[in-house]
Each structure stands twice: as C-alpha cells, then as structure tokens.
Amino acid sequence: MERNVTLDFLRGAAILGILLLNISAFGLPKAAYLNPAWYGDITRSDAWTWAILDLLAQVKFLTLFALLFGAGLQLLLPRGKIWIQSRLTLLALLGFIHGLFFWDGDILLAYALVGLVCWRMIRDAQNVKSLFNTGVMLYITGVGVLILLGIITGDSVNRSWMPDAAHLQYEQFWKLKGGAEAVSNRASMLTDSLLALGAQYGWQLAGMMLMGGALMRSGWLKGQFSLRHYRRVGALLIAVGLLINLPAVVAQWWLNWDYRWSAFLLQAPRELGAPLQTIGYAALVYGFWPQICHSRLVAAIVCVGRMALSNYLLQTLICTTLFYHLDLFMKFDRLQLLGFILPIWIINLAFSVLWLRRFRQGPVEWLWRQLTARASGVSLRHTSR
C-alpha cells in the first residue's frame, strides 16, 4: 500500500502540536492543564500564554490526531477483522502500560478502545454522508454531556481544579519519587480517565474517528478536490472555529477561571469549534501542498508522521526524564515551559530523519506490526501496514 505523504505530514504536525499542551501536563500539576489559575493567582504572561494556546492549539491537535486515526481505520479495512482487532488490542495494551508505568496523560488506550468500536461502524456505513453525519451526531452528544455535567455540578471548587498546598506537595512527591506510590496514583487516574471516556469524551473521540473515516472514503483526505476548494474551506472553517472559541476564552478570563464555568460550560464552545479548526488546518495543508511539499522541514515532519507512535513515546521519555528524574517539575511557569518545545521538536525531527534513512519504519511501529502479524496469523508478505 503506497503511503499518503500529506497524511504523514498531518500526522507529524499533530504529534509535534500535541506537545504544545502536553508540556504543561509534564511540567506542572495536573490541575494546570486546563486551569491557568490553578495556584489561586495568575500572572499576565501565564494568562496570555493560556489564551493563545487555547484559541489555536488546545484540543485542536488531539482532534486532528483522532480524525487521522479514523482515516487510518478506513485504510485498514482491506486487511480484515483479525488484523485490525489485533492491531488495536496491542495498541490498547501499550497504552495501558504507558499510562500505568510512565505517564498519566496517555491517549493511546482511549484511542485503541474507541477504535475497536469505530472500525466496525466505518466498515458497515452505507455511504459517506451517513458515516459523516453519524460522526457529527456522536460528537455533539459528547459536547451535550459536557454541558449537562456543568449544569448538575455544584459551586464548590474541586481539588482537581484548584489543589491546596497539601495536594500539590503530594503530587510533587509521588511524581519525583516514582515507584509503587506513583504506579498507584497513575492507576487511580487511569480509572478516572476510563470513566470519563465512557461517560463523555468517548462520544467526541468516536465522532471524530467516524468523520475521519468519511473524509478518507470520500477522497477528501486523499487530496482529490481542487486546491481552491481546500483553501476556501480551510479559511472559512478556521475563521468560524475561532469565532466560536474566542468569546469563551474571554469569558473564562473575565470569570477568573471559575470552576463550574471554566471546567465544564465554557469548555463547550472550544469543543464545538475544534473540529472546524482541525479540518480547516488540514484543508490549508492540502490547499498549499504544491508550494510547501519541497521544503526540507516539511520532509522532516513527514518522517515524524511515519514514526508517530515512536515519537509520541519519545516525548514521554524525554519529558519524564527532565521533569521527574532531573527534578524540574513545578520549576517553570506556563510560558517558560514553551522553551522546552523547540529542542524536543528538533530531537523528534532528527531522530525520525536519521532512523528512516536506514529503516522503513520506526522502532515501535516495526514491533507493533510484527506482533500484530503474529497475533492475527497474517503473513507480513501480504501487508505493508
């Protein structure tokens, strides 16, 4: 199966973009991921850093990754049921190990579990329109559940949103110490994440996967539409997404990141705008691909996309070493943490380019494929993915 280079670029951009948000999850307490006023106060630099990232990146790159994951499921359909289920089951196992023993922000387990449901829905969809519309309905259902949670939530502040000194000290303790204490806390967080996946987030994740499958089946993610179409759609969707998200960003700032509003109700506009911006970002890439495809930087990002799983895990290895083993946790604010982004991106890019000069696949991708073949009983001579 011939690789779609533009898809690889988008996947690489998603992996690199995810780090813009994950760096706060590595370097700051868990509460800081969505709440810039997690310590009871906020500096102007922290507020502006949060606002810009919330407007342009928060949720958007995860949504892009989910869209591409669904597109990948559509591409894998010719491989058959056993291959797909084996592949996703192994990914779920890897995500479980990653989330339990390495980092509490894992996304692999959630994507694999939802993927095990969605691949059948993509396969059985009668046409592109019904598949896409089902995805939209599932996504909106997830946003609706989020709003409902905000309505029924009381006004008392949750410690996961505004931790006190004791909670912050304990989180710092187990993250730096590691061992059984850290595994125990990550197990608890993993349980909470799975509950959230079933109750709310899984609806949105499934919706994006189905939309991705539909866009791939229609040829849209294969670049089969005109450049003018992609450019116009990209500009329009990004503008609409920003207009939906911007008032919520302003409102959260004005409300001083009040728990009930900022943790639930005002998350909804961002969640509604994210698919529009995400598809808009992808559209602009396709629309300007002839102009950018010869760039060395673009070629390097394509390599990152071909090794997306290896690079995602490499980011965990680098960041857990820096913040937990070298005691840099809670030593930098939100803006200062962005200073780590470029060096890590350079490592991702250099590693991918150098590795693919000698090998066809990334190391984790190769292992994943080998184990999938063994589990499914399929000869590797009959598959290239």
Side-chain angles (χ1 to χ4, degrees), residues 50-119:
W50 167 84
I52 293 170
L53 289 177
D54 193 278
L55 199 59
L56 300 177
Q58 181 72 39
V59 179
K60 283 72 173 179
F61 289 107
L62 282 172
T63 302
L64 176 59
F65 200 71
L67 188 83
L68 298 175
F69 198 93
L73 293 177
Q74 171 66 35
L75 291 175
L76 285 173
L77 289 181
R79 302 301 177 202
K81 171 183 175 180
I82 298 177
W83 176 271
I84 295 173
Q85 289 185 338
S86 299
R87 183 178 175 88
L88 292 174
T89 301
L90 287 167
L91 183 64
L93 179 60
L94 176 60
F96 177 77
I97 294 171
H98 180 235
L100 188 63
F101 295 104
F102 294 94
W103 184 48
D104 51 90
D106 172 75
I107 62 171
L108 302 178
L109 178 59
Y111 279 62
L113 292 177
V114 175
L116 282 167
V117 176
C118 286
W119 82 265

Side-chain angles (χ1 to χ4, degrees), residues 99-100 170 174-188:
L100 188 63
Y170 178 63
W174 68 259
K175 284 188 173 179
L176 297 182
K177 179 184 178 183
E181 190 81 15
V183 171
S184 175
N185 278 276
R186 283 194 290 265
S188 178

Side-chain angles (χ1 to χ4, degrees), residues 45 133 141 161 190 254 299 323 385:
S45 66
N133 289 344
T141 298
W161 183 258
L190 195 59
W254 184 70
F323 296 109
R385 292 182 71 84

Side-chain angles (χ1 to χ4, degrees), residues 263-336:
F264 296 101
L265 299 175
L266 289 175
Q267 297 285 334
R270 182 209 297 133
E271 301 295 331
L272 288 172
L276 302 177
Q277 282 181 250
T278 293
I279 297 174
Y281 290 162
L284 289 186
V285 170
Y286 280 99
F288 291 97
W289 186 250
Q291 285 74 33
I292 66 174
C293 65
H294 301 295
S295 162
R296 289 185 178 181
L297 177 59
V298 168
I301 295 174
V302 168
C303 292
V304 172
R306 289 178 59 186
M307 295 173 50
L309 183 55
S310 295
N311 279 296
Y312 174 72
L313 297 175
L314 178 60
Q315 289 177 359
T316 294
L317 179 63
I318 294 171
C319 291
T320 53
T321 299
L322 287 172
F323 296 109
Y324 304 157
H325 300 297
L326 297 182
D327 197 19
L328 296 182
F329 183 65
M330 290 179 62
K331 298 293 177 63
F332 302 90
D333 64 25
R334 194 176 295 265
L335 178 59
Q336 292 168 340

